[in-house]
Amino acid sequence: MIDYDVVIIGGSPTGRYAAALATQLQARVALVEPQKPTFAGQCWRWGYSAALRSVGETVRQIERSQQLGWDSTSDNCNLDQTLSLNWRQTKQWMEAVVSNLEEQDSPAMLAALGVDVIFGQGEFVSQPHLAFVVNQRTLRSRTYLLATASQPKIPEIEGLLLTGFLTAETINKLTRIPEHLAIIGGDPSGTELAQTFARLGSNVTMIIKHDHILGKEDPEAAGLIQAKLEAVGIKILTQTEVIQAQKIQDKKWIQAGNKAIEVDEIIVAAGQQPQLNRLNLEALGVAFNREYLRLNEKLQTTHSRIYACGNLSGGYSYPHLANYEATIALKNALYLPIFQVNYQGVPWAVFSDPQLARVGLTETQAKRRYGDDILVYRDYFKHLPKAIIEEETDGFFKLIGHQNGEILGASIVGPQASEMISIIALAIRQGLKIQAIAQLPQIWPTFSQMSQQTAIAWLQHQRRCNTLLIDWIENLFHWRRSWSS
């Protein structure tokens, strides 16, 4: 007797999203969460970080207000002297934001939808039949979806555990803004936190193994973000290993290469890794690539009845990407396994300032696949009216297309990049060409004009490369002028 159409092994926001979606697909579903704090940690990571960025952006607006003509009412007094951050009050506000986010898919709301929510640590069994056992209860299902929470990768550094550190999930434990802060790693969360704390007054040092931050991104885009971080005083030590950490009295020390750095707090931002070691997957013959699952394009593991979503197979851990994968996996699990995941039109962004957003192929990937059949064009925000008005002229819009006008990818570094990338993502998914973007009128003045402006420039660049067409048009106009006379 099968109890459920799908059992979701969760502990993440994506697990709850998948459970709610499964009910909409008319499935009987159970959601197993190991413990509520696991889910809360994931919410803290995204919700708290986003709220903290909002605080940092407010600081930037306050600093800019004087440039716009705002001034304090008292003589010889500036905004830096009249305003200060009440960290305790700020934390209370951020905690309220996260609490509201958690309520969107609370266990009570899921139960009202018909989801059987079960809290407890469980594991798979294969005998006498495939099932998931939790709290001495055996859950039998046609299919299973793994949507477990990830955990921070903690590098093996001598003394780090004894010295103490924070991650994006535990940043809420800070009792004050650290005067000196070290961030180990250059992943998106580390980049965002570095800039935010620098705005809040911390002296920030980033230590990364690679030659630039955001190692998975377009080097040109990542390089511009890195330059912006360094311009606001963030020290970035590239190609540097942290060898040791220790605590001396009230201060923490780290040995980064040949430098000894004294800090008040350490944040580890070296990426995420899955939590799958307690599920007994190996006994079912589920294959791994190191600590990550081996999945096919239908998001099946090597056991055809077990699916997975999120960063369980590696890559960036973005909520919208995990939810997209959950949608594909559920349709395959509940109906027929005929739906394939397509990352080509899925955008993502790093919420630095300026933002970095990307979709599709990078320039390097496109050249590797299509060779000389691609054209790449960059337009710059310094040419955009809205950017000039807002004094946010740093950055560029890079559009990568095939010679025939097919959109292969885009990278944007600039204000509102996370919003602008969506139109390119939609065009890629719908098979629209660059000409369609160029012909779509955009409201003036908006940042959205950048997509149309770049598409028009790309088409002009394509035209200039076609010498036969240029010669023909030039001869045509020459003939018409001669004929008219």
Side-chain angles (χ1 to χ4, degrees):
M1 179 69 180
I2 298 295
D3 304 309
Y4 301 99
D5 297 300
V6 63
V7 169
I8 300 170
I9 294 85
S12 67
T14 301
R16 294 190 181 183
Y17 168 85
L21 179 60
T23 63
Q24 296 173 19
L25 298 175
Q26 299 181 308
R28 186 175 182 183
V29 55
L31 172 65
V32 180
E33 291 198 354
Q35 294 295 339
K36 190 173 181 181
T38 303
F39 174 83
Q42 294 288 297
C43 269
W44 276 116
R45 181 181 169 215
W46 294 108
Y48 199 94
S49 295
L52 190 59
R53 284 198 307 272
S54 181
V55 176
E57 289 165 2
T58 302
V59 172
R60 181 180 178 277
Q61 291 301 320
I62 292 172
E63 292 172 345
R64 185 174 177 240
S65 63
Q66 289 179 303
Q67 295 177 336
L68 299 179
W70 290 94
D71 200 357
S72 56
T73 55
S74 59
D75 295 333
N76 301 320
C77 186
N78 58 44
L79 290 170
D80 291 338
Q81 295 170 325
T82 58
L83 291 175
S84 61
L85 184 69
N86 185 328
W87 180 243
R88 182 178 178 182
Q89 186 175 342
T90 299
K91 281 186 63 177
Q92 290 176 348
W93 172 77
M94 291 190 288
E95 288 164 4
V97 169
V98 173
S99 177
N100 290 335
L101 291 174
E102 284 183 303
E103 285 300 316
Q104 291 187 335
D105 284 316
S106 67
M109 291 185 64
L110 292 175
L113 294 174
V115 177
D116 189 1
V117 182
I118 304 165
F119 287 102
Q121 187 69 51
E123 65 175 15
F124 283 99
V125 296
S126 58
Q127 299 296 331
H129 42 64
L130 179 63
F132 193 79
V133 178
V134 56
N135 299 339
Q136 299 182 336
R137 177 181 172 185
T138 301
L139 310 178
R140 292 198 61 194
S141 176
R142 280 188 60 254
T143 55
Y144 301 83
L145 174 63
L146 302 176
T148 57
S150 59
Q151 62 184 3
K153 285 183 179 178
I154 307 303
E156 295 183 3
I157 298 171
E158 181 184 345
L160 181 61
L161 295 178
L162 291 175
T163 303
F165 60 91
L166 298 172
T167 65
E169 283 84 352
T170 60
I171 201 74
N172 60 306
K173 294 182 179 179
L174 275 176
T175 57
R176 61 184 177 86
I177 300 294
E179 184 178 352
H180 297 278
L181 173 66
I183 297 179
I184 301 174
D187 71 0
S189 66
T191 300
E192 295 165 2
L193 288 172
Q195 193 168 47
T196 297
F197 278 106
R199 282 178 170 170
L200 297 180
S202 297
N203 295 309
V204 182
T205 301
M206 294 183 72
I207 306 105
I208 57 177
K209 293 182 179 180
H210 307 290
D211 56 0
H212 62 79
I213 63 173
L214 303 171
K216 296 181 181 180
E217 293 303 326
D218 182 301
E220 183 180 9
L224 179 54
I225 299 298
Q226 182 167 324
K228 289 292 291 183
L229 296 185
E230 291 174 327
V232 297
I234 298 172
K235 297 177 183 177
I236 302 177
L237 305 180
T238 59
Q239 296 180 310
T240 303
E241 293 264 8
V242 177
I243 303 168
Q244 186 183 40
Q246 59 180 318
K247 190 170 185 178
I248 302 175
Q249 295 179 348
D250 293 332
K251 293 292 185 179
K252 297 179 180 182
W253 288 81
I254 57 175
Q255 186 70 34
N258 59 0
K259 294 180 180 292
I261 304 171
E262 178 187 348
V263 297
D264 299 299
E265 195 53 75
I266 300 169
I267 296 177
V268 173
Q272 298 282 312
Q273 62 186 10
Q275 300 184 77
L276 298 167
N277 55 326
R278 297 183 180 180
L279 299 181
N280 197 33
L281 290 168
E282 293 85 350
L284 304 180
V286 173
F288 286 75
N289 290 324
R290 298 191 302 275
E291 70 266 33
Y292 296 104
L293 290 172
R294 187 184 302 168
L295 303 179
N296 62 17
E297 67 279 359
K298 300 170 186 176
L299 299 177
Q300 286 173 308
T301 67
T302 50
H303 193 297
S304 61
R305 291 171 59 188
I306 301 176
Y307 293 78
C309 61
N311 73 329
L312 302 183
S313 61
Y316 278 156
S317 176
Y318 289 118
H320 71 288
L321 185 56
N323 290 352
Y324 165 69
E325 291 176 339
T327 303
I328 299 297
L330 276 177
K331 289 195 293 185
N332 284 324
L334 296 175
Y335 303 133
L336 291 174
I338 59 175
F339 303 94
Q340 297 186 7
V341 68
N342 176 16
Y343 298 108
Q344 189 69 8
V346 180
W348 60 83
V350 179
F351 291 93
S352 52
D353 182 15
Q355 295 178 4
L356 187 160
R358 182 163 70 84
V359 67
L361 301 178
T362 64
E363 181 178 354
T364 301
Q365 291 168 338
K367 287 180 177 178
R368 188 180 301 128
R369 183 176 299 185
Y370 297 103
D372 295 332
D373 290 333
I374 71 163
L375 284 175
V376 179
Y377 191 84
R378 300 163 188 78
D379 203 354
Y380 297 89
F381 279 87
K382 63 184 180 181
H383 301 145
L384 186 71
K386 179 65 173 178
I388 295 170
I389 294 169
E390 298 293 336
E391 292 186 323
E392 297 190 63
T393 55
D394 291 327
F396 60 85
F397 193 126
K398 180 192 290 189
L399 191 56
I400 305 157
H402 195 277
Q403 290 275 11
N404 62 11
E406 178 188 358
I407 303 173
L408 301 177
S411 293
I412 309 174
V413 178
Q416 302 300 319
S418 60
E419 304 286 348
M420 287 187 288
I421 200 69
S422 296
I423 189 172
I424 305 299
L426 179 63
I428 290 175
R429 295 188 74 82
Q430 297 300 315
L432 301 178
K433 293 193 174 183
I434 292 175
Q435 188 173 8
I437 304 296
Q439 292 175 346
L440 178 64
Q442 297 285 351
I443 298 171
W444 189 99
T446 61
F447 286 113
S448 298
Q449 284 184 285
M450 196 65 184
S451 58
Q452 181 193 28
Q453 188 170 297
T454 307
I456 292 173
W458 189 95
L459 291 172
Q460 292 172 342
H461 179 56
Q462 179 196 44
R463 182 178 174 181
R464 286 194 298 270
C465 293
N466 190 340
T467 55
L468 290 177
L469 177 62
I470 291 176
D471 290 343
W472 182 85
I473 293 175
E474 185 176 334
N475 291 332
L476 172 65
F477 283 125
H478 178 73
W479 174 79
R480 290 175 64 181
R481 288 192 298 269
S482 300
W483 181 80
S484 298
S485 61

